[in-house]
Amino acid sequence: MPHARWAVAALTVTLLCAGAVALRDGTGGAGADPAASGVTDALPSRALGLSGHRRLVRGLEQAGEHAPGRNSRAVPATPMRAARPLRLRIPSLGVDVPVTGGPRGERGAAGWDTAGPAPGSAGTAVVTGSGLPLGGLRRGRTIEIPRADHRTAVFTVERISPGGVDAAPSDRPGRARLRLVSGETAVLARLAGPLRTG
């Protein structure tokens, strides 16, 4: 009998602890989706002391350093007023080149097709560069275009199309997009928002 009582007591304590953890983490029980609640990485993160690091990484992603591809369904930003683009920056690739008017960029520069919209304004702006390593881009990475109005249009990469496959977007009114082309690689990105640069 003492062994039976001990087993029942141990089982009761285990169930109470499991219930408390479930209530604290908001899982709602065994039928809840652990991916939706974030429970799958809560305990390992705390045990390893990574929760602060994860918050820091999320902050950098929201600030435009880089963002995960699975967040690419975010609500599109309101288009900006038209302004001349000055530079093309791709932080993850170390690219920072001037932007000139015209369909083709000069050596060491990117060209903006002035027949289309300006980067950041409504529609799909087309920027072409020679020798840009666009194949190294990934979904969710950012592209920055500082403009003459002292604002930077920040775009989030949606699609990379290597090997001559076109990345032409389906036109959606009121959206601001960027089509960046170098060689046979085309990149399609959506406006994530403006940054004031001074």
Side-chain angles (χ1 to χ4, degrees):
M1 286 297 285
H3 292 294
R5 285 182 186 168
W6 181 85
V8 169
L11 182 59
T12 302
V13 170
T14 303
L15 289 174
L16 286 174
C17 289
V21 169
L23 287 174
R24 184 193 64 199
D25 291 334
T27 61
D33 180 10
S37 64
V39 172
T40 52
D41 71 340
L43 291 177
S45 296
R46 288 178 189 156
L48 296 173
L50 295 177
S51 58
H53 174 263
R54 287 175 191 265
R55 281 196 297 272
L56 175 61
V57 169
R58 284 191 191 113
L60 290 173
E61 290 171 353
Q62 290 169 358
E65 292 296 322
H66 64 279
R70 66 181 180 181
N71 289 342
S72 61
R73 290 187 181 181
V75 177
T78 303
M80 305 162 68
R81 294 184 183 213
R84 182 171 53 88
L86 302 176
R87 300 193 71 79
L88 168 68
R89 293 181 184 147
I90 309 175
S92 63
L93 301 180
V95 170
D96 186 353
V97 296
V99 175
T100 61
R104 298 257 175 222
E106 302 168 6
R107 190 77 178 163
W112 162 48
D113 185 357
T114 55
S121 59
T124 303
V126 178
V127 174
T128 306
S130 151
L132 299 176
L134 300 184
L137 270 176
R138 297 291 177 265
R139 283 186 63 201
R141 297 295 184 179
T142 57
I143 298 171
E144 301 172 3
I145 299 191
R147 310 175 343 146
D149 62 354
H150 303 291
R151 292 183 161 211
T152 297
V154 180
F155 295 87
T156 301
V157 174
E158 290 184 322
R159 194 183 331 157
I160 303 101
S161 301
V165 178
D166 195 14
S170 55
D171 286 333
R172 295 180 184 176
R175 300 268 180 106
R177 291 187 171 183
L178 173 70
R179 186 167 176 263
L180 181 59
V181 182
S182 180
E184 292 191 341
T185 303
V187 172
L188 181 63
R190 63 169 169 77
L191 181 67
L195 292 175
R196 183 162 286 281
T197 54

